[in-house]
Amino acid sequence: MGALASVALLLPLLSAAPPAGADVPEAGVLQGQFARAAERQGVPVSVLLAVSYLQSRWDTHGGAPSVTGGYGPMHLTDAVTALARTAPHHSEGEEDSRGDSSRPVRTGGDAPVPAPAEPPERLRTLERASALSGIPAEELRTVPAANIEGGAALLAAAQREAGLPASADPADWYGAVARYSGADDSATAATYADDVFDVIRTGETRTTDSGQVVTLTAAPAVAPATGQVADLGLRRPAAGPVECPASVACEWVPAPYEEFGDGDYGNHDKANRPASQSIDYIVIHDTEADWNTTLKLVQDPTYVSWQYSLRSSDGHIAQHVPLKDVAWHAGNWFVNAKSVGLEHEGFLTSPDSWYTEAMYRTSARLVRYLAGRYGIPLDRQHILGHDNVPGTVASTIKNMHTDPGPYWDWAHYFRLLGRPITPSAGPHAGVVTVRPDYSSHQPVYTGCVTAGQACVPHGSGAVRLHTAPSADAPLVKDIGLRPGGQDSTTGVNDTGARASTGQSFAVAERRGDWTAVWYLGQKAWFSNPVKEPTAVNARGLVLTPREGLAEVPVYGRAYPEASAYPAGVPVQSVSPLPYKLLAGQLYVVGGRTPGEYYFAPVFDPSGHTVVRGQEEYYQIQFGHRVAFVKAADVRVSRA
């Protein structure tokens, strides 16, 4: 997402409360609505519940659509109504996605944005559900009971069209479930159906966003007829050198490596990772574009690149750049050279937008696979949002992108990664990890549609940081983002006074329901009530300036010392950011890394060189973004 966000969902419906007359069920009613719809349509209730869980986790979202135009618990899609054309993620702002100051700036802004195509069938299921059920489209969008009925009608129709009876045995519905995914390839449809039946076997219980407790009782003995997917007539995914776990559907849609005159080329760099350099980070992005636009752009040699794209409607994955090579995605060349970029179909500022459970799950599987393959720790120091990547030097800070933003559910994501964010220390710990309750924690953000205008209320994993323990106190300032000293704002893209779920900070002070942490060289307070905590106590290593130093510089990249560069490789300046880490302040250590620079200025990779020096750095959680300090400047201790 760029420094200025695009608007993806423009219906008046989305910037207001649910319409009058919308069904807001009383406690316990939603479970009955699933049962009645299943009975009327002849669908096993466990199948209906499991499909809904994989789409929406049974949430209603107040009648607002997902990032791909899906409405309600059954994610009935109406992309024509919900989605408007947007500026793609890397086409916004002035961030240099390559982030290498030794080469010309490379943004995505010059590439032509493909014209929107007619939405595929998978994004137009609400219209068909209306025809099958006789329920008006507006009710399918806004009334949960109607939405569930429409989804059940789609499943029943898929079963009939396959020539299969309306069996009471869930195992007989594998093909219908695969069809419901909307996937046009057999691997994605099968992966989706496998996930649905995994939910049936393990069971689920959850309190939804409308206060409903919904339960799906585990049925571990269900063995679905997986062979049914072969009869759906779906294509096979594009073959190629994909690097994905077997538990996801992945196809090869290659990004081009082409030379196109005047020494320029695109849209990534050849490398030999991890033999040449370790891969230490995974960077989470959102696309700010629909799926088809995303794929067209990454195949443009004049655009920028990333390793993987993930589709919201069904979790399908496309790989574009081999993992050994370096994609241009994070706006920081040091991070690019040592990371893998994942673009998720979605829109940061879509009013009340939401991601499907299917995409969260396949993304988490992919991240677990990558982390295991390269030894990447599953924590927020190494699983970064694009909004956590630092500017390389002072002049680039203001242009750094801000996706996936405050509406990405990091807590749920880390539960799916198998690393839930839980307390690891007692009440007087020296470190806290941010973790508000995503659903109930709804700070007001502005600027989703119009600058200064409040966004639709939405769950968030981020907390605000103030100069004093009061909600009326000014927000802390970010002198890198605003060199003139202007105040931070509540803007959805303003990261100047924001801490996100999973980020850990050293405690500076505790006072009643407020906790202060060290943040961007200052004491920053956030509301952390005992009864409704927004952070958990944690353990960790912290650092501070070594004795005798009143302050130490902070860097956006960990480059080697000048003497390490061989002849023919231009020395890259080790230029500090405008912040200072002051004596007496503590910051949580994310890891230790050698100073490295990947010299890759030309198309021919035979001249590419990794420069590695003696200087070492610590990565720290310095603000909303990570930063680096020289190991020689600091002293490390256990909090």
Side-chain angles (χ1 to χ4, degrees):
M1 176 57 212
L4 297 175
S6 60
V7 179
L9 304 180
L10 302 178
L11 281 182
L13 164 66
L14 304 184
S15 58
D23 186 7
V24 181
E26 299 176 358
V29 171
L30 193 61
Q31 182 95 40
Q33 291 170 347
F34 278 105
R36 287 188 292 275
E39 182 179 4
R40 282 193 293 265
Q41 298 294 337
V43 179
V45 68
S46 61
V47 170
L48 188 61
L49 282 165
V51 167
S52 177
Y53 185 87
L54 199 66
Q55 294 286 21
S56 68
R57 298 173 73 212
W58 304 321
D59 284 339
T60 63
H61 299 278
S66 75
V67 296
T68 50
Y71 291 85
M74 298 304 299
H75 196 253
L76 301 180
T77 54
D78 185 9
V80 174
T81 300
L83 297 180
R85 190 173 179 214
T86 62
H89 168 50
H90 292 286
S91 298
E92 286 220 315
E94 299 178 5
E95 183 194 69
D96 175 9
S97 292
R98 191 158 52 190
D100 182 2
S101 55
S102 72
R103 294 188 282 181
V105 170
R106 171 54 61 86
T107 71
D110 295 332
V113 177
E118 179 72 16
E121 185 178 338
R122 64 183 170 82
L123 297 183
R124 294 183 285 117
T125 62
L126 189 140
E127 178 184 345
R128 185 156 190 259
S130 180
L132 288 168
S133 66
I135 300 172
E138 182 64 14
E139 288 187 33
L140 292 173
R141 293 188 197 103
T142 59
V143 181
N147 185 274
I148 294 166
E149 187 82 26
L154 286 174
L155 281 166
Q159 188 78 345
R160 289 193 302 272
E161 290 161 6
L164 297 172
S167 169
D169 185 354
D172 295 333
W173 288 76
Y174 186 89
V177 169
R179 176 70 76 186
Y180 192 94
S181 71
D184 64 351
D185 72 275
S186 57
T188 303
T191 299
Y192 179 92
D194 287 343
D195 275 348
V196 167
F197 279 89
D198 182 61
V199 173
I200 290 173
R201 283 189 291 266
T202 59
E204 289 288 349
T205 295
R206 183 171 181 269
T207 301
T208 72
D209 61 357
S210 59
Q212 299 288 294
V213 177
V214 179
T215 298
L216 171 56
T217 304
V222 171
T226 57
Q228 292 177 354
V229 76
D231 299 326
L232 298 180
L234 302 175
R235 69 176 180 89
R236 292 186 178 183
V242 292
E243 299 163 286
C244 291
S247 58
V248 303
C250 193
E251 68 177 321
W252 179 244
V253 181
Y257 187 67
E258 296 180 11
E259 195 170 20
F260 42 84
D262 297 325
D264 202 1
Y265 67 97
N267 58 14
H268 57 281
D269 276 300
K270 296 294 184 182
N272 189 30
R273 305 183 307 172
S276 57
Q277 284 184 282
S278 61
I279 298 176
D280 296 339
Y281 306 104
I282 298 169
V283 181
I284 304 299
H285 304 256
D286 76 50
T287 61
E288 297 300 313
D290 64 28
W291 181 252
N292 290 337
T293 299
T294 298
L295 296 191
K296 288 177 181 177
L297 287 171
V298 80
Q299 295 176 86
D300 183 343
T302 68
Y303 201 64
V304 294
S305 60
W306 48 92
Q307 271 82 9
Y308 299 93
S309 296
L310 292 97
R311 191 162 65 199
S312 182
S313 61
D314 53 20
H316 177 69
I317 299 172
Q319 184 177 358
H320 313 297
V321 177
L323 293 171
K324 68 180 181 63
D325 294 336
V326 177
W328 302 344
H329 63 97
N332 182 313
W333 184 243
F334 178 81
V335 175
N336 278 341
K338 298 176 74 66
S339 71
V340 175
L342 277 60
E343 287 277 4
H344 298 77
E345 184 184 15
F347 306 91
L348 187 160
T349 62
S350 300
D352 208 24
S353 66
W354 48 284
Y355 297 103
T356 66
E357 179 70 1
M359 185 171 71
Y360 271 126
R361 286 190 171 212
T362 56
S363 179
R365 289 194 192 115
L366 178 59
V367 168
R368 283 201 307 270
Y369 163 81
L370 295 169
R373 178 168 174 171
Y374 296 113
I376 302 171
L378 288 172
D379 58 38
R380 288 284 278 116
Q381 288 77 35
H382 298 87
I383 312 301
L384 303 174
H386 196 173
D387 54 350
N388 307 136
V389 176
T392 52
V393 294
S395 62
T396 66
I397 293 173
K398 66 181 184 299
N399 292 325
M400 296 300 290
H401 285 190
T402 60
D403 59 297
Y407 303 139
W408 181 264
D409 193 346
W410 286 107
H412 180 55
Y413 196 54
F414 269 79
R415 284 192 293 271
L416 293 173
L417 287 172
R419 294 290 189 277
I421 300 165
T422 57
S424 59
H428 305 294
V431 170
V432 290
T433 299
V434 175
R435 196 206 64 183
D437 179 77
Y438 180 87
S439 297
S440 62
H441 181 68
Q442 298 189 1
V444 175
Y445 293 101
T446 58
C448 288
V449 178
T450 304
Q453 179 180 324
C455 302
V456 172
H458 194 286
S460 173
V463 298
R464 290 225 170 83
L465 298 164
H466 298 261
T467 56
S470 168
D472 296 327
L475 298 174
V476 296
K477 295 181 179 181
D478 184 337
I479 62 170
L481 196 59
R482 294 181 174 83
Q486 299 94 331
D487 290 340
S488 297
T489 72
T490 59
V492 71
N493 286 297
D494 189 342
T495 61
R498 183 184 299 171
S500 184
T501 290
Q503 293 179 333
S504 295
F505 298 89
V507 175
E509 187 178 346
R510 298 178 191 263
R511 194 181 302 176
D513 286 340
W514 288 78
T515 299
V517 296
W518 295 114
Y519 182 96
L520 294 178
Q522 60 202 303
K523 187 183 288 189
W525 293 87
F526 67 96
S527 176
N528 188 23
V530 174
K531 292 184 178 180
E532 296 182 25
T534 56
V536 298
N537 295 303
R539 300 178 181 179
L541 297 177
V542 294
L543 57 73
T544 193
R546 64 176 173 81
E547 292 184 15
L549 294 180
E551 61 184 39
V552 300
V554 177
Y555 303 92
R557 53 192 182 184
Y559 278 176
E561 66 277 11
S563 61
Y565 289 80
V569 178
V571 173
Q572 302 300 300
S573 63
V574 182
S575 177
L577 301 177
Y579 315 105
K580 300 292 184 183
L581 195 165
L582 304 177
Q585 296 182 359
L586 299 167
Y587 292 87
V588 173
V589 175
R592 185 164 176 151
T593 184
E596 289 183 351
Y597 173 64
Y598 183 43
F599 180 61
V602 294
F603 181 74
D604 182 0
S606 65
H608 296 182
T609 302
V610 177
V611 180
R612 190 173 290 111
Q614 299 299 311
E615 191 83 73
E616 293 194 322
Y617 294 79
Y618 285 109
Q619 177 193 320
I620 58 172
Q621 188 67 60
F622 189 62
H624 187 69
R625 302 182 188 272
V626 300
F628 301 92
V629 293
K630 292 182 178 179
D633 288 342
V634 297
R635 173 174 54 87
V636 177
S637 62
R638 184 165 294 279

